Amino acid sequence: MSRPPAALCPCGRKDARQRPLAYADCCGRYLDHWADTPAPDAESLMRSRYTAFVRERADYLRATWHPDHCPATLDFDPGTQWLGLEVREHRVTGPDQAEVEFVARYRLGGRAVRLHERSRFVRQDGRWVYVDGDQR
């Protein structure tokens, strides 16, 4: 039995059999239960933040942004159509530090956009948070 596309996680993570994971089994557990279920590693946090952008969840994005770097406001462009995420590398750079290189694709106003970034994450009080990133 196949799942309807709306039930699939936007981040595109797959199980061991290369089947797309459902939102509830993937990023949904972090977005919808952030207080009890933080992302276990930087890649999972990055994927869940992508999903939060797709679902326009400013609350989750702000909660998972390092307080020294979090913007005062977050605005979503209602015309953004998210097309997919490719994680290119997840690299642990220290006991509480990691980097994730990714490419996120979206369409805005009929124009295709490709965001290629190497993001930096740190673990604070047992939770991974996004610090910043370098666009490529």
Side-chain angles (χ1 to χ4, degrees), residues 5 37 44 49 61 74 88 130:
T37 311
S44 295
R49 286 176 55 83
L61 291 166
L74 288 173
R88 295 209 169 157
Y130 171 76

Side-chain angles (χ1 to χ4, degrees), residues 90-110:
H90 172 219
R91 186 167 67 105
V92 175
T93 58
D96 293 313
Q97 299 173 333
E99 293 180 348
V100 178
E101 181 180 355
F102 69 91
V103 176
R105 295 178 305 105
Y106 61 96
R107 185 173 307 283
L108 182 59

Side-chain angles (χ1 to χ4, degrees), residues 12-108:
R13 183 171 266 177
K14 296 180 178 165
D15 68 13
R17 292 182 167 170
Q18 295 303 302
R19 295 176 301 195
L21 290 174
Y23 169 77
D25 297 330
C26 192
C27 295
R29 59 188 155 173
Y30 311 128
L31 271 78
D32 298 340
H33 307 284
W34 186 81
D36 300 324
T37 311
D41 55 48
E43 179 182 348
S44 295
L45 180 64
M46 195 284 311
R47 286 179 174 279
S48 67
R49 286 176 55 83
Y50 170 85
T51 298
F53 274 104
V54 172
R55 291 181 165 239
E56 299 184 357
R57 290 283 307 272
D59 61 328
Y60 184 79
L61 291 166
R62 293 184 61 72
T64 59
W65 216 309
H66 191 284
D68 293 345
H69 299 273
C70 187
T73 61
L74 288 173
D75 297 317
F76 299 100
D77 190 322
T80 302
Q81 176 189 8
W82 292 95
L83 303 173
L85 174 69
E86 174 193 353
V87 175
R88 295 209 169 157
E89 182 182 20
H90 172 219
R91 186 167 67 105
V92 175
T93 58
D96 293 313
Q97 299 173 333
E99 293 180 348
V100 178
E101 181 180 355
F102 69 91
V103 176
R105 295 178 305 105
Y106 61 96
R107 185 173 307 283
L108 182 59

